[in-house]
Amino acid sequence: MATDADRIADELRAALDGPWREVREKAREHLDDERLYGDPYLDYKAARARVLDQMHLVSTFGWAEKGFKLGHGGGNDPGAAVTALEMLAYTDLSLWVKCGVQWGLFGGAVENLGTERHTPYIEQLITLDLLGCFAMTETGHGSDVANLETTATYDPATQEFVVHSPTPSARKDYIGGAAEHARMAAVFAQLITGGEGRGVHCFLVPIRDEQGNDLPGVTTSDDGLKGGLPGVDNGRIVFDQVRIPRENLLNRYADVDPDGTYSSEIENPSRRFFTTLGTLVRGRVSVGGAAAAGARVALSIAVRYAEQRRQFADPDTGEETVLLDYRSHQRRLLPLVARSYALAFAQNDLVRRMHLVQTGQDQDPSAQRALEKRAAGFKVAQTRHATRAIQECREACGGAGYLTENRLVTLKADTDVFTTFEGDNVVLTQLVAKELLTAYSDEVRDLDALGWVRFAATMARDRVREHSGVRQLIQRLRDRSDETVDDADLSRRDVQLALFADREDYLVRTAGHRLQARAKETGPFEAFNNAQDHILMAGTAHIDRLVLEAFIEGIAAIEDPEARELADRVCDLYVYTTIEENQAWYIMHRFMSAERAKAVRRGVNELVDRLRPQATTLIAGMGVPENMLHAAMLNPA
Amino acid sequence: MATDADRIADELRAALDGPWREVREKAREHLDDERLYGDPYLDYKAARARVLDQMHLVSTFGWAEKGFKLGHGGGNDPGAAVTALEMLAYTDLSLWVKCGVQWGLFGGAVENLGTERHTPYIEQLITLDLLGCFAMTETGHGSDVANLETTATYDPATQEFVVHSPTPSARKDYIGGAAEHARMAAVFAQLITGGEGRGVHCFLVPIRDEQGNDLPGVTTSDDGLKGGLPGVDNGRIVFDQVRIPRENLLNRYADVDPDGTYSSEIENPSRRFFTTLGTLVRGRVSVGGAAAAGARVALSIAVRYAEQRRQFADPDTGEETVLLDYRSHQRRLLPLVARSYALAFAQNDLVRRMHLVQTGQDQDPSAQRALEKRAAGFKVAQTRHATRAIQECREACGGAGYLTENRLVTLKADTDVFTTFEGDNVVLTQLVAKELLTAYSDEVRDLDALGWVRFAATMARDRVREHSGVRQLIQRLRDRSDETVDDADLSRRDVQLALFADREDYLVRTAGHRLQARAKETGPFEAFNNAQDHILMAGTAHIDRLVLEAFIEGIAAIEDPEARELADRVCDLYVYTTIEENQAWYIMHRFMSAERAKAVRRGVNELVDRLRPQATTLIAGMGVPENMLHAAMLNPA
């Protein structure tokens, strides 16, 4: 018989499952299959082979094609594709990465940067008849993609591009699939025609024959063991004058005629570059989602363990105390659960926005760019959260947490690189801040590297907070909160939102002023560098506010009053702990009195006390099925 | 030709090498040997075999015997033993753990808890003719050692103890050496004689024959893969009525006569238990030292990489900028370098104190207990630092940081359990705070579990800060700082020390009051639990102060003025970042104005700016030889 707690958990899970709920439910059935879990005892060569087999199994689920257009054999449902693949993070992250590389990165490049002539590749890559890799990063350049060194020089005599690695640092590196499985690479390289460089473009380069041997001029090698993800065959590629047909340029935004004439509908080279990268936003959306999913698995394990593990007797009762009854344990885990809720709602909202943009339902010209900023910000928030949460879970489970059979160390090792790939978190936070500081001016995007600093410094006006995509509820809350915040009730949602927004506004405005003051005296690098910590804080504050707004909107959609009440308390805990982490800032900048800051600390304690009895309900609501936890200690013999 | 920078680095290294400098220098020679490094490509079975071979090599260095008494074939130089073994952390932490288990934990138990009749074992364990393990932790009890379930029941008929695991949770677990190599276990079990329980004692129990087979009644099993430390064979042991001779009780503090009569020179059972555990302090001292050594290796790698890796061009010069020129990168790494310096001095001081107590040169009756508190506190500080610093280093090196060939992920995985073993960090921080709250009262130690809360709550008096072991310099600085701190110059060492001490005093005093107020209304568990976060903060504040004092004393011993000046700035950075991390607390409790707190943030920026040109000197001063870094990316082809 279902209890109240079960019903509340079901309601929460339905809310967190979000717009593609059926996809998640179906995935829970598909993934209840031992064949889809990793085996930590395999060596990395065997793990790679196993994951390749598992990919073939996943390819039968019908998930991959959802992400492609109808005419390409797809389902034109990118939201469903991202959501379904995210669920793979509950089984094995090596498998998730391999699928993401194949269908998301490689497939996404062909789909979004290619044209009709490349459609046959899409059909083959969906079915895994063509295994590909995404060869963007080089040994020398990762974050700074615009300055990749690989060249693709057009030769009109043969109507071919000559792909070449001119220096050791031009070597493609860390490329998933390059070590063993990929037959073709989507290679990002500087296009040169008629002796003129045209910037980074993407080319399809066959790298291996059917027997797996490197093709002439191609030298692949193996990155070997990594911190985790043993089933992913990351590797390196060096090109020595490799010739490919002219048609292998993915020519959606630019093309080269047989005679070598370059043309593009986007005149400005920088804008062309950012448009190219912008189409690949799905990768960032997906990484954030998978990281958050990994954190949910870890928290499900650690909280369930904390409900059964006992240590030290209560002297009054003689009974040993379960770990989750300790205040310190509650404070370790429950705020992370609250943040997981927040981020789950944020991710659902992000995927929904991505889906609307990518299916053409959102035609707002600023939507694509707002999506990119949001995807970058949420990728940072979710991967940072995963790194921190999984580490805390490991430690909170003590020695048992260190055994591979309890899965936490594997989650930690596998997700560790998520803060780096698809954009280093520091660089992405800067990107978010840059967009805020320059209020989305188109001119800015066209500026190289730090050119935007000069621009930001010349903007005398205060910036206007970006309202695009904000829905009624948030607007109403914003409108309500014009009292002096310090005197207002911190448990009120509008006051909380105002505190988040005030921090963001103040940081963005003062960062702008600081750049302005400095740039008169020094060059842009000095001006930027001197304010870098400030700029990063502004970016983080913006992300925090967007996450809170998504959380609030997510709760509003819950109809069951008890489930909504519980979610509201979880939201309070997210708000209070976020404020607690920034309380020095709030006090120093007079947004909060010292007394109120002490009340925040007490508030966190009260909230963990209050939520503690419902911890198991909250975990069930996060939606990782118990049979997918795979932690031996939860089922002792 | 040696430059000034080289000379300064040498001076710093000499200071950080501490009292056993020659031991470290000699170790650097011994460890310049490829045979002593791990091979991450070995599977865990092969890694264990390799580490066992490496132990035999280490046993030829003459380090192990230094830790034992002269009459036992030792050198009576525990400081040298701990220091030398710590250096192994520069090569491979699996090897360090295995050596630590054999000579430190197993050897330490026999040495410190045994008597003359056990001396032959010591001779054999030094040479590795007897491989042992330290069987304390059980599946059900780790932190709460007093309530271990394994029993050792005396049978006068045969003059034997019967060692038994009465429940599944009584199984010994996570025991290094239990899975494969150990022939004998030092087993902690409840001694029962004449039907009466006498508390936890330690027994030598043979577990395997020469062929490696379990002896009758003993069932060992394997913990299998862990997050790291693949070369350590952690395992489980279950005892089914295993009989051992009466003489196998390690009988230094208690004995059982042939007829079963129990006797001990320590009447009070709780005090006997704590005396027993107290002799094992060397384990905690060693774990902290090895964790900090691991962090130094990681920081040496990450800072050197940040000096060579370039990304993004400065628009004014067109030159790509090295990572360490970015403010955010400086703020990520340099404060961690500063903390490494602080902890290195703290560890040297701790080892010196341990050496004086264990060789009988310090006869102060309170010295042993003060040593235990300090060892617990520094174990927490160093392992927490290692977890955080190595993670930051991994992320700061991007994708390269994730490759095993660059070592950071191995350091992370291997040190991850250091926050857990030899005492969970939360439990140890509580232990430190408990000692502070009850001002070392002997009565308190005898109280079970949370009984001390009642005691702490009845102490109406404010506590007096413990001055034992504080030397003149610190006392002089303390005496100087009686001005109002908020108006004083934060760059003055006495003012800094006062800020650290004020935070500690305030937190300890108010935690005491809070316990007092609560304990009248609730039981001790409620009172304790309600204040647990406060209690933990008090413990941390105490540790921070002790570390700062050790840093100040360490600097005072540097004679070269330029090296001392540099170390002074590093100390400032340690102080400023520690205050920055706690600035909300300082402002809320009126120890610092909002304006001064902002100045602290600016001060951190100024200090990282100022130290940045000397980053390589600071890394060289940390004393990890470049040829021991073993990170491929530092020597690109």
Side-chain angles (χ1 to χ4, degrees):
Chain A
M1 207 186 69
T3 64
D4 269 7
D6 289 339
R7 192 199 75 242
I8 294 172
D10 286 345
E11 294 284 345
L12 290 174
R13 188 170 53 250
L16 262 67
D17 275 354
W20 283 271
R21 177 164 198 212
E22 294 76 31
V23 171
R24 289 193 196 267
E25 285 291 19
K26 188 79 192 156
R28 289 189 181 100
E29 290 170 28
H30 275 307
L31 300 178
D32 186 11
D33 183 335
E34 281 306 312
R35 290 174 297 171
L36 288 167
Y37 287 81
D39 175 356
Y41 285 89
L42 296 178
D43 72 28
Y44 73 107
K45 292 277 188 185
R48 291 170 177 181
R50 179 185 168 125
V51 166
L52 189 58
D53 285 345
Q54 290 171 325
M55 279 178 81
H56 282 280
L57 184 55
V58 174
S59 76
T60 66
F61 296 166
W63 296 351
E65 47 267 52
K66 286 187 201 292
F68 296 92
K69 294 195 188 75
L70 293 173
H72 302 165
N76 198 31
D77 193 350
V82 167
T83 303
L85 283 174
E86 180 205 298
M87 298 295 285
L88 279 180
Y90 289 168
T91 66
D92 181 53
L93 285 159
S94 289
L95 176 58
W96 176 83
V97 169
K98 282 290 280 186
C99 292
V101 166
Q102 172 70 13
W103 294 311
L105 295 179
F106 176 65
V110 182
E111 167 92 359
N112 295 304
L113 301 178
T115 55
E116 254 163 65
R117 71 189 190 211
H118 305 109
T119 304
Y121 294 119
I122 294 179
E123 289 157 3
Q124 292 174 47
L125 71 87
I126 288 176
T127 57
L128 304 181
D129 290 314
L130 173 64
L131 291 174
C133 65
F134 184 79
M136 180 184 271
T137 298
E138 298 175 355
T139 303
H141 292 84
S143 296
D144 188 6
V145 175
N147 287 303
L148 293 176
E149 295 177 83
T150 303
T151 51
T153 309
Y154 186 67
D155 178 0
T158 61
Q159 301 194 16
E160 290 172 318
F161 285 101
V162 182
V163 179
H164 188 60
S165 312
T167 68
S169 59
R171 179 180 68 178
K172 296 293 176 184
D173 208 346
Y174 319 112
I175 311 300
E180 291 195 28
H181 300 147
R183 298 284 182 268
M184 182 177 273
V187 175
F188 288 79
Q190 305 287 350
L191 191 160
I192 300 168
T193 177
E196 197 178 340
R198 298 295 187 157
V200 172
H201 293 64
C202 187
F203 304 83
L204 292 179
V205 185
I207 58 171
R208 282 196 181 84
D209 65 21
E210 286 305 312
Q211 285 70 49
N213 303 307
D214 288 350
L215 290 171
V218 174
T219 307
T220 64
S221 55
D222 201 317
D223 278 320
L225 281 183
K226 305 178 298 290
L229 300 173
V232 184
D233 56 322
N234 294 86
R236 296 156 173 162
I237 316 174
V238 175
F239 300 101
D240 181 12
Q241 313 282 356
V242 175
R243 290 182 166 263
I244 55 170
R246 184 183 68 91
E247 292 77 13
N248 282 25
L249 168 65
L250 294 176
N251 60 331
R252 174 151 170 208
Y253 295 113
D255 210 347
V256 171
D257 286 345
D259 68 359
T261 307
Y262 180 87
S263 63
S264 171
E265 59 185 55
I266 308 172
E267 290 269 317
N268 182 304
S270 172
R271 197 166 308 167
R272 191 187 312 131
F273 172 68
F274 283 112
T275 303
T276 301
L277 292 192
T279 58
L280 307 173
V281 68
R282 205 182 292 181
R284 262 172 211 165
V285 172
S286 298
V287 167
R296 288 197 295 275
V297 176
L299 284 163
S300 300
I301 293 169
V303 172
R304 287 185 193 277
Y305 184 66
E307 286 275 26
Q308 69 185 49
R309 172 76 175 177
R310 294 172 179 274
Q311 202 76 176
F312 292 114
D314 180 333
D316 279 350
T317 64
E319 283 268 296
E320 290 184 314
T321 304
V322 296
L323 295 190
L324 201 56
D325 281 342
Y326 288 103
R327 166 67 57 80
S328 70
H329 220 78
Q330 294 161 6
R331 280 193 77 114
R332 284 175 103 157
L333 297 180
L334 297 182
L336 296 169
V337 171
R339 189 173 290 268
S340 275
Y341 268 76
L343 293 171
F345 285 118
Q347 176 72 6
N348 286 339
D349 186 48
L350 176 66
V351 173
R352 188 184 56 77
R353 288 171 194 262
M354 181 204 79
H355 182 83
L356 294 177
V357 168
Q358 297 200 334
T359 55
Q361 296 175 70
D362 185 347
Q363 301 267 3
D364 182 335
S366 71
Q368 167 69 28
R369 195 149 163 194
L371 175 68
E372 289 170 36
K373 175 170 63 68
R374 191 176 288 256
F378 287 5
K379 186 269 182 185
V380 172
Q382 297 188 95
T383 57
R384 186 182 285 161
H385 171 65
T387 294
R388 183 174 147 198
I390 299 171
Q391 179 72 37
E392 197 69 53
C393 289
R394 199 303 286 158
E395 296 184 28
C397 293
Y402 196 57
L403 299 189
T404 301
E405 64 176 36
N406 292 320
R407 205 175 167 195
L408 296 168
V409 289
T410 302
L411 286 166
K412 178 71 183 73
D414 286 346
T415 57
D416 198 56
V417 76
F418 285 39
T419 54
T420 298
F421 69 12
E422 286 290 312
D424 172 85
N425 276 8
V426 173
V427 176
L428 289 185
T429 306
Q430 244 161 245
L431 182 149
V432 169
K434 168 186 161 182
E435 294 281 280
L436 296 172
L437 279 162
T438 54
Y440 280 58
S441 172
D442 264 348
E443 300 159 62
V444 170
R445 184 171 270 200
D446 304 340
L447 295 171
D448 273 355
L450 292 168
W452 64 274
V453 172
R454 277 208 189 90
F455 180 89
T458 59
M459 295 209 325
R461 66 193 167 84
D462 280 356
R463 95 176 228 300
V464 182
R465 202 189 313 149
E466 175 254 319
H467 281 232
S468 95
V470 164
R471 280 162 293 178
Q472 238 185 344
L473 167 64
I474 300 299
Q475 195 54 55
R476 214 163 50 229
L477 286 169
R478 278 189 192 158
D479 294 343
R480 235 177 68 190
S481 70
D482 38 15
E483 311 154 51
T484 309
V485 164
D486 200 38
D487 302 325
D489 180 358
L490 243 183
S491 69
R492 273 173 44 193
R493 201 66 78 210
D494 58 331
V495 174
Q496 297 171 350
L497 193 54
L499 273 169
F500 277 52
D502 286 347
R503 176 167 145 254
E504 176 193 352
D505 288 347
Y506 185 95
L507 281 166
V508 173
R509 203 174 62 242
T510 50
H513 291 164
R514 195 162 155 189
L515 286 178
Q516 196 173 11
R518 271 279 172 156
K520 288 174 190 154
E521 301 157 26
T522 66
F525 178 76
E526 274 305 302
F528 155 78
N529 207 31
N530 183 271
Q532 193 182 14
D533 54 325
H534 191 154
I535 291 166
L536 291 172
M537 280 197 289
T540 302
H542 175 72
I543 298 165
D544 286 345
R545 176 185 52 94
L546 293 189
V547 171
L548 175 58
E549 290 184 359
F551 200 167
I552 294 171
E553 292 181 339
I555 292 172
I558 303 176
E559 289 181 12
D560 180 276
E562 283 179 273
R564 197 171 57 234
E565 157 71 18
L566 182 57
D568 264 323
R569 293 299 74 72
V570 174
C571 185
D572 282 341
L573 183 57
Y574 167 68
V575 169
Y576 275 62
T577 46
T578 303
I579 292 175
E580 191 180 32
E581 282 164 14
N582 294 286
Q583 61 187 352
W585 188 90
Y586 278 112
I587 310 173
M588 282 194 283
H589 296 87
R590 320 277 181 210
F591 285 93
M592 199 174 262
S593 69
E595 288 318 307
R596 178 156 293 263
K598 285 189 198 169
V600 169
R601 185 167 185 90
R602 281 195 303 274
V604 173
N605 285 344
E606 284 161 19
L607 283 163
V608 295
D609 257 6
R610 191 157 158 193
L611 289 171
R612 189 262 167 271
Q614 283 150 303
T616 307
T617 306
L618 289 175
I619 292 303
M622 288 203 309
V624 188
E626 266 193 271
N627 62 6
M628 293 178 71
L629 296 182
H630 281 67
M633 65 186 175
L634 297 180
N635 305 296
Chain B
M1 208 187 68
T3 64
D4 268 8
D6 290 337
R7 193 198 74 244
I8 294 173
D10 286 344
E11 294 285 344
L12 290 175
R13 188 171 51 248
L16 263 66
D17 274 354
W20 282 271
R21 176 165 198 209
E22 295 76 31
V23 171
R24 289 192 196 267
E25 286 290 19
K26 190 78 191 159
R28 289 189 181 100
E29 290 171 27
H30 276 307
L31 300 178
D32 186 13
D33 183 335
E34 282 306 313
R35 290 174 297 170
L36 289 168
Y37 288 81
D39 175 358
Y41 285 89
L42 295 178
D43 71 29
Y44 73 108
K45 292 276 187 185
R48 291 170 178 182
R50 179 186 169 124
V51 167
L52 188 59
D53 285 345
Q54 291 171 325
M55 279 178 80
H56 283 280
L57 183 55
V58 174
S59 77
T60 67
F61 296 166
W63 297 351
E65 48 266 52
K66 285 186 200 291
F68 296 91
K69 294 195 188 76
L70 294 172
H72 301 166
N76 199 30
D77 193 351
V82 166
T83 303
L85 284 174
E86 180 204 299
M87 298 294 286
L88 279 180
Y90 290 167
T91 66
D92 180 52
L93 285 158
S94 289
L95 176 58
W96 176 83
V97 169
K98 281 289 281 185
C99 291
V101 166
Q102 171 70 13
W103 293 312
L105 295 179
F106 176 63
V110 182
E111 168 92 359
N112 296 303
L113 301 178
T115 55
E116 254 165 63
R117 71 189 189 211
H118 306 107
T119 304
Y121 294 119
I122 295 180
E123 290 156 3
Q124 292 174 49
L125 71 87
I126 288 176
T127 57
L128 304 182
D129 291 315
L130 173 64
L131 291 174
C133 66
F134 184 79
M136 180 183 272
T137 297
E138 297 174 355
T139 303
H141 291 85
S143 295
D144 188 5
V145 174
N147 286 303
L148 293 175
E149 295 177 83
T150 303
T151 51
T153 308
Y154 186 66
D155 177 359
T158 61
Q159 301 193 18
E160 290 172 318
F161 285 101
V162 182
V163 179
H164 188 61
S165 313
T167 67
S169 59
R171 178 181 67 178
K172 296 293 176 184
D173 208 346
Y174 318 112
I175 311 300
E180 290 194 28
H181 300 146
R183 299 283 183 268
M184 181 176 273
V187 175
F188 289 78
Q190 305 287 352
L191 190 160
I192 300 168
T193 178
E196 197 179 341
R198 299 294 187 157
V200 172
H201 293 65
C202 187
F203 304 82
L204 292 179
V205 185
I207 58 170
R208 282 196 181 84
D209 64 22
E210 286 306 311
Q211 284 69 50
N213 302 309
D214 288 349
L215 290 172
V218 175
T219 306
T220 65
S221 55
D222 201 318
D223 278 320
L225 282 183
K226 307 178 297 290
L229 299 174
V232 183
D233 56 322
N234 294 86
R236 295 158 173 162
I237 316 174
V238 175
F239 300 102
D240 181 12
Q241 313 283 355
V242 175
R243 290 183 165 262
I244 55 169
R246 184 183 68 93
E247 292 77 12
N248 282 25
L249 168 66
L250 294 176
N251 60 332
R252 175 151 169 208
Y253 295 114
D255 211 347
V256 171
D257 286 344
D259 68 359
T261 307
Y262 180 86
S263 64
S264 171
E265 58 185 54
I266 307 172
E267 290 269 320
N268 181 305
S270 171
R271 198 166 307 166
R272 192 186 311 132
F273 172 69
F274 283 111
T275 303
T276 301
L277 292 192
T279 58
L280 306 173
V281 69
R282 206 182 291 181
R284 261 172 212 166
V285 172
S286 299
V287 167
R296 287 196 296 274
V297 176
L299 284 163
S300 300
I301 293 169
V303 172
R304 287 186 193 277
Y305 184 67
E307 286 275 26
Q308 69 185 49
R309 171 77 176 177
R310 294 174 180 273
Q311 202 76 173
F312 291 114
D314 179 334
D316 280 349
T317 64
E319 283 269 298
E320 290 185 314
T321 305
V322 295
L323 295 191
L324 201 56
D325 281 342
Y326 288 102
R327 167 67 57 78
S328 71
H329 220 78
Q330 295 161 6
R331 280 193 77 116
R332 284 176 103 157
L333 295 181
L334 296 182
L336 295 168
V337 171
R339 188 172 291 268
S340 274
Y341 268 76
L343 292 171
F345 284 118
Q347 175 72 6
N348 286 339
D349 185 48
L350 176 67
V351 172
R352 189 183 56 75
R353 288 172 195 261
M354 181 204 79
H355 183 82
L356 294 176
V357 168
Q358 296 200 335
T359 56
Q361 296 175 72
D362 184 347
Q363 300 268 4
D364 182 333
S366 71
Q368 167 69 28
R369 194 149 164 194
L371 175 68
E372 289 170 35
K373 173 169 65 69
R374 191 176 287 257
F378 286 6
K379 186 269 181 185
V380 172
Q382 297 188 98
T383 58
R384 185 183 285 163
H385 170 65
T387 295
R388 183 175 148 196
I390 300 169
Q391 179 72 37
E392 198 69 52
C393 289
R394 199 302 287 158
E395 296 183 28
C397 293
Y402 196 57
L403 299 190
T404 301
E405 65 176 36
N406 292 319
R407 205 174 167 195
L408 295 168
V409 290
T410 302
L411 286 166
K412 178 70 183 73
D414 286 347
T415 56
D416 198 55
V417 76
F418 285 38
T419 54
T420 298
F421 69 12
E422 287 289 313
D424 172 85
N425 276 6
V426 173
V427 175
L428 289 185
T429 306
Q430 242 161 246
L431 182 150
V432 169
K434 167 185 161 182
E435 294 281 279
L436 295 171
L437 279 162
T438 54
Y440 281 59
S441 172
D442 265 347
E443 300 159 63
V444 170
R445 185 172 271 200
D446 305 339
L447 295 171
D448 273 355
L450 293 169
W452 64 274
V453 173
R454 278 207 189 90
F455 179 88
T458 60
M459 295 209 324
R461 65 192 168 85
D462 281 355
R463 97 177 225 298
V464 181
R465 202 189 313 149
E466 174 253 320
H467 281 229
S468 95
V470 164
R471 280 162 295 179
Q472 238 185 343
L473 168 63
I474 301 298
Q475 194 54 56
R476 212 161 54 228
L477 286 169
R478 278 190 192 159
D479 294 343
R480 236 176 68 187
S481 71
D482 38 14
E483 311 154 50
T484 309
V485 164
D486 200 38
D487 303 325
D489 179 359
L490 243 184
S491 70
R492 272 173 43 195
R493 202 66 78 210
D494 58 330
V495 174
Q496 296 172 351
L497 194 54
L499 273 169
F500 277 52
D502 286 348
R503 176 167 144 253
E504 176 193 352
D505 288 346
Y506 186 95
L507 281 166
V508 173
R509 202 173 63 242
T510 49
H513 291 163
R514 195 162 155 188
L515 286 178
Q516 198 174 6
R518 271 279 171 156
K520 289 175 191 153
E521 300 157 27
T522 66
F525 178 76
E526 274 305 302
F528 155 78
N529 208 31
N530 183 270
Q532 193 182 15
D533 55 325
H534 191 155
I535 290 166
L536 291 172
M537 279 198 288
T540 302
H542 174 73
I543 298 165
D544 285 346
R545 178 186 51 94
L546 292 188
V547 170
L548 175 58
E549 290 184 359
F551 200 167
I552 294 171
E553 292 182 338
I555 292 172
I558 302 176
E559 288 180 12
D560 181 277
E562 284 179 272
R564 196 171 58 234
E565 157 71 17
L566 182 56
D568 264 323
R569 293 299 74 73
V570 174
C571 185
D572 282 341
L573 183 56
Y574 168 69
V575 168
Y576 275 63
T577 46
T578 304
I579 291 175
E580 192 180 32
E581 283 164 12
N582 294 286
Q583 61 186 353
W585 188 91
Y586 279 112
I587 310 173
M588 281 195 282
H589 296 87
R590 319 277 180 209
F591 284 94
M592 200 174 262
S593 69
E595 289 317 307
R596 178 157 292 263
K598 285 188 197 170
V600 168
R601 184 166 185 89
R602 281 195 303 274
V604 172
N605 285 343
E606 283 161 20
L607 283 164
V608 295
D609 257 6
R610 193 159 157 191
L611 288 171
R612 189 261 167 273
Q614 284 149 303
T616 307
T617 306
L618 289 176
I619 291 304
M622 289 203 306
V624 188
E626 266 192 271
N627 62 7
M628 293 178 70
L629 296 182
H630 280 69
M633 65 186 175
L634 297 181
N635 305 296

